[in-house]
Amino acid sequence: MHACPVEAIRMVEGKAVIDYDLCILCGACVEVCPVDAIEFEQPSKNVAHAEAKGGVWVFCEAVGDKINDVSFELIGEGRKLADGRGVGLTGVLIGQNISGHAETLIQHGADCVRVIDNEGCRYFYDEVYARILADLIEREKPEIVLAGATLMGRAFFPRVAAKLRTGLTADCTALAIDNDGHLVQTRPAFGGNIMANILCPSRRPQMATVRPRVMRPMARDSARKGEIIREDLSADLLVSRVVVEESVEEEGGAGNVAIADIIVSGGGGLGRPENFKLIYELADVLEAAVGGTRTVVDRGWISYPHQVGQTGKTVCPKLYIAVGISGAIQHLVGMQTAETVLAINKDPNATIFRVADYGFVGDLFEIVPKLTEEFKKLKNG
Amino acid sequence: MSLSFDVIFVGAGPASLSGALHLKRLTRVIPELKDLSVAVIEKAPNPGDQSFSGATFDPRALEELIPDYLDRMPPFGQKVQREGLSFLTKKHRFPLPFTPPVMSNKGKYLISLSEFVRWLGKIAESEGVEVYHGEAVDELMYDDSGAVNGIIIKGKGLDKDGNKKPNYVEPTPVNAKVVVLGEGSRGHLTKRLIAEKNLDEGVTPQGYAVGLKELWEVREDRFQEGTIYNTMGYPLQLDTFGGSFIYHVKDRLVSIGLVIGLDYCNPQLHPFECLQMLKKHPFVANMLEGGRFIAYGAKTIVEGGWYAMPRAYGDGFLIIGESGGILDAMKLKGIDHVMKSGMLAAETIRDALVAKDVSAAQLKAYEDKIRSSWISRDLKRARNFHQGFHKGIIPGMVHAGFQMFTFGRGLIDRFKVKPDYECMKMMCKSCPSPCGPFRPDGMLTFDKLTCVFGSGTKHEEDQPCHIKIDDISICNGKCKEEYGNPCTRFCPANVFEMIEEEDGVERLHLNPSNCLHCKTCDIKDPYGIVTWVPPEGGGGPNYKGL
Amino acid sequence: MNIIVCIKQVPDTTDVKINPQTNTLERDGVRTIVNPFDLFAIEEALRLKAAHGGKVTIITMGPPQAKCALEEAIAMGADDARLISDRAFAGSDTLATSYILSKTVSSIGSYDLILCGKQAVDGDTAQVGPEMAVHLGIPQVMFVRRIASVDAKDLVVERMTEHGYDRVKAPFPCLISVVKDINTPRPPSFQGRMRAKRMEIPVLSPADIGCEEERIGLDGSPTWVERIFAPHARSGCTAAEGTTENIRDVAEKIEAKLEHIWE
């Protein structure tokens, strides 16, 4: 009853009654019911997809003439899925002067790479890329198509899905094949507070954008061989109503706490503003962003964009190091979906240890420099 | 375009909503008033978000207002079937053999006030009352003769230093023929109006209590639906007026609350810690074992009673509900009384609008109606109740006993009392913290910040601090010595903190975004230098089920 | 300029509580709000209207209480609104939703610009905008951080890229999604709230907008949620002493987990 975001459930004489006029079919009630009393009737899963013989495809993103690392991550993941389905893995490369990357993609696990190397693809045009990819998909009929959940991927992939009237799941953090051969797409929702498994059983291809830096690329095998197909394009595919007037590179963005993979955060336990130096040193070695609790921001030891917590930023890094942070609930709510948490505090009963995977109790002024030293050694060694 | 309504109610609590609804119904049948524009203006972002109480509810005013209320599915729990008054020591409980009939709540409904207000608000809106949320009223407007003729809605978009941010919205004046103040306990507009118009001339200084409450979901085998407990004694000492209430409401939800008179004298008293210690008493701990903490809240309660009620009418205005000092301190009940006061205000306004006269002389009829209603009967019976406890629990019980048989007159009719903030004694070595040292265990007891989180309170961070301190050097100097900065203890929301700065000296820091809008600070600071005004509209607690 | 802004009423995801006893997440009693990213879209629309004249219409698909989201947008200054609400729409994924919204846009008539917020904070997909653009056959520019100039026939915007931004010209009609950096949304004014309360907001059904039944609701949704679960529950740890050996041990364990970041 309390889980329902639209207050559609009331208790009447001890039984839950759902007001179907209010219900938005989000499924939250199904999840929390301790006795599984609520069922969500889903359409049938077992649909034959004999036509989708084109294997697993990965859209390989290139910006200018450079290829984005996410492409290798997706080839690595795509390889697993293709093997699971017993089908081939194809990379699709769209851009200008990017043909040279095809070989590398094959060496990282692709069986085939379809290359669209054309001046008209020099800039990223949503309509053009979408048209090209949709066209290819309609012709070759892959069963799964993946792209990175980058600005580019998230912009044009939905257009492809809409053209093909198929399902697309955004920003997946895990992919798998289930017993029926369908792609299980796992993704966070509610700001990372819950995870959802999504299926697209009745349509093909199953499309997904995948969060960068989550999947692992395969090691490069320079002996690996595959097929490279240069696709010819008809001119009408290259028409764009939008025009890029210029492309500008900008500094910074590095150290943005909201998107960093590693964050080193300091709290009131640091004692004085100068002691943030310890945090910066550790962050430097780890190539991490620097965060702070509300306490240190209020005191002016670090600026507000670095604040992590209920009234600051909610972060979901791979590693969160909490130095001198007690773990007030307002802070926890901003970082407790981090993959790994390491906490350092002089109080063994500090609440932060309840959400930490690793913890040190003791004097942070001794522990943090040692930690910095160890990571430095590991990085260089 | 100048904005105006015929009648504005400030604050969407049970008093204003009842008054507004009643007024629309009364005027619908009068041809020249049938399209009366009635607005209720509330700072909380959603209906009921900031309404908070125990609560046991007597539906007598509701029966008058909405006779078919049972058909409209009010969000009530069970009726009170069992009740018990007991005295607690640290480890033991001594139940009284009976509950004095005048304090009995048997047969009354157990409710959540926030849900009740939500429900009542929907009915009011469906009948043409315009309820506006997310807007705070900053000031009243006056015409040249000094009559109230409107309100000013607080602007939004000033930064911490008072500069306009790019999305700044100006304060908005809104006119009205009559403004009704239903702000609840220690309303800030009411406080200023009383001072400006000397409405408290000749009345006893108003007194208050602070009530803190947690909502828990308990195990099935610990849930006693329809049962309420009231206790006195532990964790409070014999010199402090107060006690606890434990209500088993519905769906395994239990409210545990502590009410403490703000006339307490021990500067070390820490109401929040006392509530936590109460939960550790074996009687309560047993009830909560294996249960789930859901929410927390706090508010002040007006306790001065009959003799402390200010004049509640004037040129162009009326004051209803707790703002007007209406609450039965003996029964610790008031929802029915404040609803009735709203309805009587509605009747007064209808007559005034028909007579086209909203002067004090015309609106005085409100006070006459209050005096001849059951509100005054109840309040008169309780008129010396809280004040009888000024010298401690034992004398208080003696006075209360006598009052019971003399319809409230008791041994002393009309005590002389000091305002709450003057009651605090200075720090001395023999004033230990009454609850003893406190360490939260995270399962049954929690630290203040965790509970504040459980109140759902949120504010726009970048806005001027809404708690004004006239002279902070007193906080950092005199008060440290004399009272030990009691604000760091009496605030139930960790707004006030003494923090050691770089030079090693502790100074007062405010965390206004934790504020629960209870106004304890405005009432209890011993120097009278703290003033609470509402922050930007839309901020504050988010009470669901409380 | 005729601008249509698509908004969504969502649970306040920052309002989600943690149970202090178990450290698990609770969604009891969460407030509903206008999707924060949509506020930027509404604000941008209002600014464009102030500079170039025209009309701002807000549309949303949702249960009946989504009306409050529309009222808030009107209170900010929007001129008109539509609520698309019917049981038949429930269970719609992004494809179905985008179809429904695009049919609504068509039913409203002519427009120059559709504005959307970057994504909804409950679904976090950012898909509905581009899918709408396809149904309507119009171009799009996504993740726009600034509208640089507006002409009779087109507009020039800055869209975010991984390394900076592109300056892009798009013709009307087109669809734009905006990011947080674009502006500071104004709060609703009291005057606006009065207007919103007194406005009749049409509620549209599938028949009103001419939807094909098989393209809406569960039937029209190729994706569906098989399971919702909490992310891995944290069990906490017992803090170790800060000896050099312990620190080395933990550093190695962590480095092993994160290895490929440093590659």
Side-chain angles (χ1 to χ4, degrees), chain A residues 16-272:
Chain A
V17 173
I18 301 176
D19 183 345
Y20 290 110
D21 283 327
L22 294 174
C23 174
I24 55 170
L25 291 172
C26 74
C29 53
V30 180
E31 174 212 353
V32 299
C33 179
V35 295
D36 286 335
I38 305 180
E39 241 180 52
F40 205 175
E41 215 185 75
Q42 305 280 17
S44 159
K45 268 194 350 181
N46 291 320
V47 182
H49 291 289
E51 285 183 7
K53 289 193 152 90
V56 176
W57 282 23
V58 167
F59 169 73
C60 299
E61 182 172 320
V63 178
D65 52 7
K66 294 199 178 37
I67 194 159
N68 190 323
D69 281 343
V70 72
S71 311
F72 298 111
E73 294 165 17
L74 292 179
I75 293 283
E77 187 63 22
R79 182 73 264 160
K80 287 193 230 151
L81 298 172
D83 292 341
R85 288 289 295 147
V87 297
L89 175 65
T90 302
V92 179
L93 202 49
I94 304 177
Q96 192 194 28
N97 293 332
I98 38 77
S99 310
H101 298 297
E103 200 62 53
T104 325
L105 288 169
I106 290 181
Q107 288 167 358
H108 274 93
D111 299 314
C112 165
V113 178
R114 293 179 185 269
V115 180
I116 295 96
D117 195 325
N118 190 299
E119 203 199 333
C121 299
R122 177 170 159 231
Y123 289 117
F124 168 59
Y125 284 126
D126 311 48
E127 286 186 287
V128 173
Y129 277 46
R131 231 180 264 129
I132 293 173
L133 188 58
D135 201 60
L136 281 174
I137 292 173
E138 270 175 329
R139 216 179 65 204
E140 303 295 330
K141 303 196 194 324
E143 57 182 87
I144 292 172
V145 187
L146 307 176
T150 57
L151 293 168
M152 186 190 292
R154 297 184 78 175
F156 90 99
F157 233 49
R159 282 192 85 103
V160 180
K163 276 182 193 299
L164 302 172
R165 296 212 189 160
T166 187
L168 168 64
T169 304
D171 203 30
C172 298
T173 51
L175 296 169
I177 305 287
D178 73 4
N179 294 334
D180 299 308
H182 297 299
L183 179 67
V184 181
Q185 301 143 60
T186 304
R187 64 175 309 264
F190 263 80
N193 290 315
I194 58 166
M195 302 298 288
N197 278 358
I198 315 280
L199 291 183
C200 175
S202 58
R203 311 264 178 103
R204 290 292 179 266
Q206 304 159 97
M207 296 180 66
T209 59
V210 177
R211 185 178 286 186
R213 295 180 301 281
V214 170
M215 308 298 178
R216 292 182 172 222
M218 280 172 54
R220 186 178 183 156
D221 175 3
S222 22
R224 201 164 185 289
K225 297 277 173 245
E227 198 189 348
I228 297 177
I229 304 175
R230 288 196 75 109
E231 299 278 357
D232 283 318
L233 289 181
S234 56
D236 58 320
L237 288 178
L238 294 166
V239 173
S240 172
R241 293 176 277 187
V242 163
V243 174
V244 171
E245 293 186 341
E246 70 173 319
S247 219
V248 177
E249 281 204 17
E250 274 181 338
E251 273 278 343
N256 181 352
V257 139
I259 56 170
D261 280 327
I262 308 179
I263 301 174
V264 184
S265 228
L270 285 171
R272 310 175 72 80

Side-chain angles (χ1 to χ4, degrees), chain C residues 7 58-60 66-74 81-83 201:
Chain C
I7 72 172
I58 315 285
I59 66 174
T60 192
K67 183 165 170 254
C68 297
L70 293 173
E71 286 178 350
E72 188 159 329
I74 294 168
R82 301 278 185 279
L83 173 62
I201 298 178

Side-chain angles (χ1 to χ4, degrees), chain B residues 358-394:
Chain B
V358 294
S359 68
Q362 176 73 32
L363 294 177
K364 180 176 183 302
Y366 170 68
E367 197 172 80
D368 301 330
K369 286 183 202 286
I370 295 274
R371 280 176 199 276
S372 53
S373 76
W374 47 261
I375 297 178
S376 77
R377 197 189 61 226
D378 286 358
L379 260 50
K380 275 197 196 145
R381 201 200 322 104
R383 65 187 184 271
N384 293 308
F385 181 75
H386 184 144
Q387 290 83 344
F389 286 83
H390 267 290
K391 298 267 197 262
I393 297 291
I394 312 282

Side-chain angles (χ1 to χ4, degrees), chain B residues 285-438:
Chain B
N286 182 264
M287 226 181 273
L288 300 181
E289 191 188 356
R292 181 171 77 107
F293 165 80
I294 294 181
Y296 164 80
K299 84 181 277 284
T300 52
I301 302 161
V302 75
E303 289 257 326
W306 182 252
Y307 286 128
M309 287 169 68
R311 173 158 69 90
Y313 63 90
D315 295 320
F317 72 86
L318 287 174
I319 307 174
I320 61 175
E322 275 196 83
S323 290
I326 295 178
L327 187 116
D328 182 343
M330 193 186 305
K331 280 199 177 174
L332 197 62
K333 294 173 75 65
I335 305 174
D336 49 334
H337 301 91
V338 307
M339 287 177 71
K340 181 68 174 171
S341 77
M343 292 161 70
L344 294 175
E347 289 165 23
T348 309
I349 296 170
R350 179 224 24 216
D351 296 337
L353 291 175
V354 165
K356 296 195 172 34
D357 174 8
V358 294
S359 68
Q362 176 73 32
L363 294 177
K364 180 176 183 302
Y366 170 68
E367 197 172 80
D368 301 330
K369 286 183 202 286
I370 295 274
R371 280 176 199 276
S372 53
S373 76
W374 47 261
I375 297 178
S376 77
R377 197 189 61 226
D378 286 358
L379 260 50
K380 275 197 196 145
R381 201 200 322 104
R383 65 187 184 271
N384 293 308
F385 181 75
H386 184 144
Q387 290 83 344
F389 286 83
H390 267 290
K391 298 267 197 262
I393 297 291
I394 312 282
M397 308 245 309
V398 171
H399 282 294
F402 276 97
Q403 287 162 21
M404 246 170 253
F405 299 109
T406 54
F407 299 105
R409 199 172 62 73
L411 288 172
I412 300 176
D413 194 0
R414 193 157 181 176
F415 288 81
K416 270 177 98 127
V417 289
K418 290 189 282 197
D420 290 335
Y421 75 94
E422 287 182 14
C423 295
M424 200 179 274
K425 293 203 180 112
M426 296 208 184
M427 288 277 277
C428 58
K429 292 201 172 59
S430 57
C431 280
S433 167
C435 298
F438 167 67

Side-chain angles (χ1 to χ4, degrees), chain B residues 37-109:
Chain B
S37 59
V38 178
V40 182
I41 303 189
E42 166 61 46
K43 59 177 160 58
N46 298 298
D49 273 1
Q50 292 173 18
S51 294
F52 171 82
S53 183
T56 53
F57 178 63
D58 184 333
R60 51 185 164 164
L62 184 60
E63 272 157 11
E64 285 181 41
L65 180 65
I66 306 174
D68 63 343
Y69 72 91
L70 282 174
D71 296 333
R72 304 213 198 192
M73 301 195 302
F76 292 167
Q78 283 273 8
K79 287 192 182 177
V80 175
Q81 280 145 28
R82 282 167 302 277
E83 57 186 344
L85 193 53
S86 40
F87 190 85
L88 298 180
T89 61
K90 191 161 180 186
K91 291 267 183 260
H92 300 287
R93 174 176 163 247
F94 302 98
L96 263 59
F98 65 94
T99 304
V102 87
M103 293 173 75
S104 171
N105 276 303
K106 243 197 194 142
K108 306 290 179 282
Y109 286 105

